[in-house]
Amino acid sequence: MADVIPADLDTEAGLIGCVLTSPGVFPLVQHLVAPEHFHEPLHTYLWETIAAVSAAGDTPNYMKVRAAIGPTAAGRDLGGRTVVQYLTSITAHGAVPANAEEYARTVQQYWQLRQLAAATSDVREGGPVIPGPTLERIYAEVDKVRASFVSRKSMSATLAEAGEALVAGITADLQGSSVKLASSGILSLDREIGGGPQPANLITAAGRTSMGKSILGTEIALAMSDQNCATLYHSLEMSRRQIAARTASSELQRRGIRISYEQIMRRGGLDYRQAELVAGVVYEQRQQPMMIEDGGGRTIGDIAASSDRLANAYARKGTPLGCVVIDHAHIVRPARAYRREDEGLKEVADGALALAKHLDCPVFLLAQCNRGPEGREDKRPGLADIRGAGAFEENSDTVIFLYRPGYYAERTQAFRDGCPNARDDFDRVRHDLELIIDKNRAGRPNQTVRVWVDPALNAIRDR
């Protein structure tokens, strides 16, 4: 069989020529193309050399790259001409620097096509195939190729350029012309994290079981979609019906109607009047740009690839992206087997941060705390209580812990025995939820936001 997918060698050479003649374009394209994306081995070698010169703090122009190659490699025969003669020819070819990004994307796309062709080669060549595992392997390769560029997106700027962008943002804010941040729906939380969830930020929200992580995730996603900002909710635990029941119950609570989501989900749980109320809210919410992807067994690469696809679909409709919610980190499947759990969790945290940067929107990563708080008198969790704490602490722009004292108050023996004092203690805190902001790059750390919660209605409100 012929070579799987032919590459455009002229485009590869044109990209290298652009950089050698106008080195300033390299920072604009280096996140798009890696050495392994070139089809021609010589081009791979030249791109590695360009990257090495740039990483050393030098300008990757023709003279510097030629010097970095060295006389031995420069004189290597390529079948009638040397490496340095080839380098001279592609530099003199007249590549247009303005086309560098287009060249880079073309090189990248050809590499993707070769990878996908290789992934399906055994099927096309008629070799032995077991359908299920073969499809799983091909889909995994597709998602890997799609997600491989999520982590490559980066931008370079001088300090002067960064300062100009900062001042421009401050000026626009003062003049009222800045782009308004979408609210989390919890104004007291927004105030502490810079006015709202920040673009390109990873926000980890962690807590023990039943502290309200999923309540927080669905409430923020619903609030942002209510502002006509697209929200993507990746649920690896709850079904889409459960999430729809939660959002309906929350909206009904805003209208002064108490129908728990458990009641909505339970067969025979509603009478005709209640069913009409739920159906009415569901009908209204169908217009909101909130997409739910449910089902377990997905990797962070799967989540990144589908998020990219959905975000592009909303962008084509002119709908801005509000946030991505991943519920939750500890049941995201690692892409491969690791010896230690924390290595797999680092993959998840790294991928979630890369996704936030790539989509330029806040990513809320819900996370499970270990049993450490259960053995302490003060059961409020801290960074050390997150399973795989190091990865989440390192990657997150904001870390929020959830603590609901009512959960513990109703689990005391005195409460179970019907003690009036215990009942009074529970009633005092039953609607209390503490959002403990431990790490906070956009504001003050070590702050506690106290909000009202009703777990049965999936409702969180400012006090």
Side-chain angles (χ1 to χ4, degrees):
M1 176 173 283
D3 201 3
V4 285
I5 293 290
D8 188 338
L9 300 186
D10 287 341
T11 299
E12 292 185 2
L15 174 59
I16 295 170
C18 281
V19 173
L20 294 178
T21 54
S22 301
V25 304
F26 182 64
L28 304 178
V29 298
Q30 64 177 331
H31 68 282
L32 294 173
V33 177
E36 65 268 20
H37 297 153
F38 291 88
H39 185 65
E40 167 58 51
L42 177 59
H43 294 162
T44 299
Y45 171 68
L46 292 175
W47 197 255
E48 287 174 339
T49 306
I50 288 170
V53 170
S54 178
D58 220 332
T59 304
N61 56 26
Y62 170 80
M63 295 301 296
K64 295 293 175 61
V65 171
R66 177 175 174 174
I69 289 172
T72 302
R76 184 161 57 91
D77 181 56
L78 299 177
R81 58 178 171 175
T82 63
V83 169
V84 73
Q85 287 173 332
Y86 179 73
L87 195 65
T88 302
S89 70
I90 63 175
T91 304
H93 193 262
V96 181
N99 294 338
E101 188 168 346
E102 182 181 348
Y103 289 159
R105 292 192 185 281
T106 301
V107 170
Q108 175 201 108
Q109 289 163 356
Y110 269 110
W111 175 82
Q112 292 182 65
L113 288 172
R114 291 196 297 275
Q115 292 297 106
L116 297 178
T120 59
S121 62
D122 53 348
V123 178
R124 292 183 291 105
E125 292 172 1
V129 170
I130 303 174
T134 300
L135 280 172
E136 185 176 344
R137 177 181 57 77
I138 292 172
Y139 287 145
E141 186 63 29
V142 169
D143 285 342
K144 178 181 174 184
V145 169
R146 282 179 61 90
S148 64
F149 294 98
V150 168
S151 61
R152 293 189 182 278
K153 187 170 182 179
S154 62
M155 296 294 289
S156 298
T158 65
L159 181 58
E161 291 168 336
E164 287 172 7
L166 174 64
V167 172
I170 293 171
T171 302
D173 192 39
L174 291 171
Q175 294 174 344
S177 59
S178 61
V179 178
K180 187 178 179 182
L181 291 177
S183 170
S184 68
I186 307 169
L187 299 182
S188 52
L189 176 62
D190 289 347
R191 284 193 293 270
E192 293 294 342
I193 58 174
Q198 302 287 313
N201 273 17
L202 175 62
I203 302 171
T204 296
R208 287 288 296 141
T209 302
S210 298
M211 287 298 108
K213 298 185 298 295
S214 294
I215 302 174
L216 182 67
T218 52
E219 285 284 75
I220 290 173
L222 184 63
M224 287 199 172
S225 69
D226 198 34
Q227 299 162 66
N228 200 36
C229 293
T231 59
L232 313 178
Y233 197 100
H234 295 278
S235 176
L236 286 84
E237 201 167 35
M238 296 186 294
S239 70
R240 63 192 68 181
R241 289 184 64 240
Q242 288 175 302
I243 295 171
R246 285 172 176 263
T247 59
S249 181
S250 175
E251 180 57 33
L252 286 167
Q253 188 278 332
R254 290 186 184 277
R255 303 177 187 189
I257 302 167
R258 185 179 178 85
I259 303 177
S260 72
Y261 66 83
E262 182 274 333
Q263 188 179 352
I264 296 172
M265 288 294 298
R266 188 172 69 243
R267 188 178 295 273
L270 304 175
D271 59 29
Y272 280 107
R273 176 57 181 159
Q274 291 170 327
E276 287 178 359
L277 291 168
V278 172
V281 166
V282 168
Y283 182 81
E284 291 174 20
Q285 289 182 337
R286 67 189 298 188
Q287 305 300 323
Q288 294 184 209
M290 178 174 170
M291 185 67 70
I292 302 165
E293 290 223 332
D294 59 357
R298 285 181 290 159
T299 66
I300 194 65
D302 297 332
I303 292 169
S306 62
S307 296
D308 201 23
R309 172 177 54 82
L310 294 169
N312 287 335
Y314 277 118
R316 286 192 291 271
K317 299 175 184 177
T319 304
L321 189 59
C323 72
V324 175
V325 180
I326 302 172
D327 185 8
H328 61 80
H330 290 90
I331 48 178
V332 175
R333 181 172 63 85
R336 61 183 179 85
Y338 289 97
R339 291 187 178 183
R340 302 195 317 269
E341 183 191 35
D342 64 317
E343 293 176 324
L345 292 173
K346 186 176 188 310
E347 176 192 290
V348 174
D350 288 349
L353 177 59
L355 180 61
K357 304 298 183 191
H358 175 68
L359 296 180
D360 195 30
C361 79
V363 170
F364 288 86
L365 182 61
L366 310 186
Q368 184 78 10
C369 285
N370 57 36
R371 296 182 181 275
E374 308 299 321
R376 300 195 297 260
E377 183 176 348
D378 183 355
K379 302 190 184 302
R380 291 171 176 82
L383 283 169
D385 296 315
I386 308 180
R387 288 165 51 198
F392 298 106
E393 181 180 6
E394 177 184 338
N395 284 277
S396 300
D397 297 281
T398 305
V399 178
I400 301 171
F401 291 101
L402 287 79
Y403 171 68
R404 190 164 64 82
Y407 171 83
Y408 293 103
E410 65 180 338
R411 279 161 178 75
T412 63
Q413 189 60 49
F415 181 89
R416 291 171 178 156
D417 291 342
C419 174
N421 289 339
R423 182 70 197 190
D424 290 342
D425 290 342
F426 169 70
D427 287 340
R428 276 195 298 272
V429 298
R430 67 183 304 172
H431 292 302
D432 289 356
L433 173 64
E434 295 181 15
L435 303 177
I436 305 165
I437 303 173
D438 196 303
K439 180 181 179 181
N440 189 12
R441 286 187 177 140
R444 301 174 299 169
N446 195 29
Q447 300 298 310
T448 298
V449 174
R450 292 176 172 83
V451 294
W452 181 93
V453 66
D454 192 324
L457 305 181
N458 199 87
I460 294 177
R461 308 285 182 258
D462 282 293
R463 284 184 178 276

